[in-house]
Amino acid sequence: MKQTWRWFGEHDNVAIDEIEQAGASGIVTALHHIDNGEVWSSSEIEKRQQLIATRKNGGPSSLKWDVVESLPVSEDIKKQDNDWRRHIDNYKLSLENLAAAGLETICYNFMPILDWTRTDLSWPLPNGARCMRFDYTNFAVFDIHILARSGATENYDDAIIESAAQKFATMDDASKIQLTNNLVAGLPGANQKLTLSDLQLLLDGYHGIDENRFRKNHYAFLEEVIPTAERLGMRLCCHPDDPPFSLLGLPRTMSTEQDYRLLMEAVDSPANGITLCSGSLGANKDNDLPGMMERLGDRVHFLHLRNVVLDVQQTPGSFYEGEHLSGNTDMVALIDAVLNEENRRKKAGRKDWNIPFRPDHGQDILDDLNRSAQPGYPAIGRLKGLAELRGVISALEAVISGKLTVSQS
């Protein structure tokens, strides 16, 4: 398993030197400053590679750009309107330019409008750490009372509607603004910052697009770009919905194992793959992450390893970002399944046997509490997560090789 680290570029307050010190051997990044749907030029790709290759003192680093996350799919492509055909052509050209620079693994998502969504970006834990949280009642407060989306109450049960009304009645203006900012901030590191009016206009654009049509649009996108990826020797891998259930009445079609099976069958190619995010999928208690890795592992091209702690009192549910080895996902069993898949690939002679992963969404601990990192991407919290994951990997590899027996472990 290749240890990688997400980096947001020159404005990231975690330096390349610090990523090296954390023990990562590859970088996951994207050109966030380029508008969705536009071409990633060879010159911009090279600039990012040079930044990764250079330490703060100007000397060479040991790191290189290994995984693209994300090459965004524009809203026009997702809806199949306006400039969507031009955007697909641009996507193909971006793939050409990335392949020419030596990049092979491309993570993307097909979530409408919002990427990962949280109601709290710095939620206090009993031990003084902070983390991101999704509170279903607070989201209903935003949807029903702040955004005041038409028909919003149809998407919630009576208990949540009542709880949201009571919560809204106690909120002051500052709390309402903070909740709004958390929910419409867009993807961390991106150049998209949404206002309420912007969000409503985007929602209006999805009128008439149900789950079935949205799936078809996704498959049509892949039918266009996968032949290019195959020719270039690239692997596209779709990130799951985060959280894995419908929000704002929008279709969500990448939330379960069955969703991924349908995607693989619709465009049956090794280049059409999976980003297995144990946190996003783990927010649905019915998803079996180790089982998914066993059954769909040959198409898993990239891993996000993180954990969430579920509030089982709510359905679909509230959750917060837990420690990497504590939460809804059995991380040891999942990593064991990944190592088994890597061994199968080695025996089959696959060159992509070493699956890249990154520690995702760490908690803010120690000096992280004094930094202004991208929400979910603190230096020390992720370092802790990476160290824990590395320990699990080392122990399981020792068992597999026979250096350590199960009774000894």
Side-chain angles (χ1 to χ4, degrees):
M1 296 175 66
K2 183 161 190 179
Q3 302 170 33
T4 66
W5 187 279
R6 190 173 194 183
W7 190 59
F8 291 100
E10 57 189 324
H11 301 298
D12 196 320
N13 67 9
V14 180
I16 289 295
D17 310 48
E18 294 171 318
I19 297 171
E20 285 186 295
Q21 292 163 21
S25 56
I27 293 293
V28 177
T29 191
L31 305 182
H32 300 293
H33 59 287
I34 296 177
D35 289 339
N36 294 356
E38 299 306 315
V39 175
W40 286 16
S41 69
S42 296
S43 60
E44 289 296 325
I45 293 167
E46 183 180 359
K47 285 179 186 176
R48 181 55 54 91
Q49 288 178 313
Q50 287 300 315
L51 285 172
I52 292 167
T54 308
R55 294 175 178 163
K56 286 187 292 187
N57 65 4
S61 82
S62 62
L63 300 172
K64 70 179 184 68
W65 189 357
D66 278 300
V67 178
V68 175
E69 185 184 355
S70 294
L71 180 58
V73 181
S74 72
E75 292 301 310
D76 285 357
I77 291 175
K78 293 172 188 175
K79 295 182 295 180
Q80 286 196 359
D81 68 2
N82 299 320
D83 273 351
W84 74 279
R85 293 190 182 279
R86 182 178 70 85
H87 288 179
I88 283 181
D89 289 339
N90 288 349
Y91 204 97
K92 294 176 186 177
L93 184 53
S94 294
L95 291 177
E96 297 271 4
N97 293 339
L98 287 163
L103 287 149
E104 298 179 350
T105 305
I106 313 295
C107 175
Y108 74 98
N109 76 68
F110 215 84
M111 286 179 266
I113 301 178
L114 298 171
D115 291 337
W116 59 260
T117 305
R118 300 291 185 272
T119 56
D120 299 273
L121 302 183
S122 186
W123 191 64
L125 292 165
N127 66 357
R130 291 183 174 271
C131 67
M132 297 198 298
R133 175 176 171 81
F134 180 87
D135 185 294
Y136 197 61
T137 298
N138 283 348
F139 188 84
V141 168
F142 170 78
D143 192 9
I144 298 170
H145 299 285
I146 298 175
L147 180 62
R149 178 174 63 87
S150 177
T153 54
E154 298 173 8
N155 299 125
Y156 304 94
D157 62 31
D158 291 342
I160 292 294
I161 293 171
E162 177 62 24
S163 296
Q166 293 175 2
K167 182 66 176 288
F168 181 71
T170 67
M171 293 176 69
D172 58 22
D173 288 343
S175 298
K176 296 171 187 175
I177 291 170
Q178 185 63 64
L179 178 60
T180 299
N181 288 342
N182 291 347
L183 286 167
V184 300
L187 179 67
N191 57 6
Q192 184 184 37
K193 301 297 180 184
L194 303 177
T195 65
L196 281 178
S197 296
D198 293 333
L199 180 55
Q200 188 57 63
L201 284 173
L202 288 169
L203 287 170
D204 292 343
Y206 276 86
H207 181 72
I209 300 179
D210 60 10
E211 182 178 298
N212 184 55
R213 181 177 166 189
F214 197 62
R215 284 187 193 277
K216 289 180 178 178
N217 290 355
H218 190 174
Y219 302 164
F221 161 72
L222 290 174
E223 287 168 356
E224 287 282 349
V225 302
I226 286 298
T228 299
E230 285 181 335
R231 175 173 55 82
L232 296 170
M234 305 181 87
R235 298 174 292 277
L236 269 64
C237 39
C238 186
H239 188 282
D241 301 327
D242 186 7
F245 42 79
S246 178
L247 300 175
L248 303 176
L250 293 165
R252 302 277 257 192
T253 57
M254 296 307 305
S255 297
T256 67
E257 180 173 346
Q258 179 62 11
D259 289 334
Y260 275 105
R261 286 192 181 280
L262 292 172
L263 188 74
M264 300 303 106
E265 292 168 2
V267 184
D268 190 7
S269 165
N272 176 26
I274 301 168
T275 296
L276 192 71
C277 178
S278 59
S280 300
L281 292 165
N284 179 342
K285 62 182 178 58
D286 296 325
N287 282 330
D288 170 18
L289 273 296
M292 285 183 69
M293 188 66 216
E294 288 288 345
R295 293 182 288 271
L296 304 178
D298 66 322
R299 294 285 192 92
V300 173
H301 300 321
F302 184 35
L303 293 151
H304 288 180
L305 297 184
R306 62 181 176 90
N307 231 320
V308 296
V309 178
L310 303 183
D311 179 348
V312 297
Q313 302 303 313
Q314 292 195 34
T315 302
S318 302
F319 60 87
Y320 68 88
E321 306 280 357
E323 296 175 309
H324 283 74
L325 302 186
S326 302
N328 194 50
T329 295
D330 184 340
M331 194 64 71
V332 175
L334 174 56
I335 291 174
D336 187 46
V338 175
L339 293 173
N340 288 336
E341 172 61 25
E342 287 191 331
N343 284 331
R344 284 192 289 270
R345 293 185 184 191
K346 284 181 184 177
K347 292 177 182 177
R350 285 177 57 166
K351 70 172 186 175
D352 65 337
W353 67 267
N354 194 13
I355 303 173
F357 79 92
R358 64 176 179 84
D360 199 10
H361 292 193
Q363 295 180 349
D364 291 312
I365 59 174
L366 305 176
D367 190 51
D368 291 331
L369 297 166
N370 301 314
R371 297 192 185 200
S372 297
Q374 300 284 355
Y377 293 95
I380 301 172
R382 282 187 291 167
L383 183 153
K384 175 175 179 277
L386 181 58
E388 291 172 342
L389 297 169
R390 185 185 296 130
V392 172
I393 293 166
S394 296
L396 289 173
E397 286 180 336
V399 171
I400 291 170
S401 67
K403 295 178 181 178
L404 181 70
T405 66
V406 174
S407 59
Q408 288 175 314
S409 63

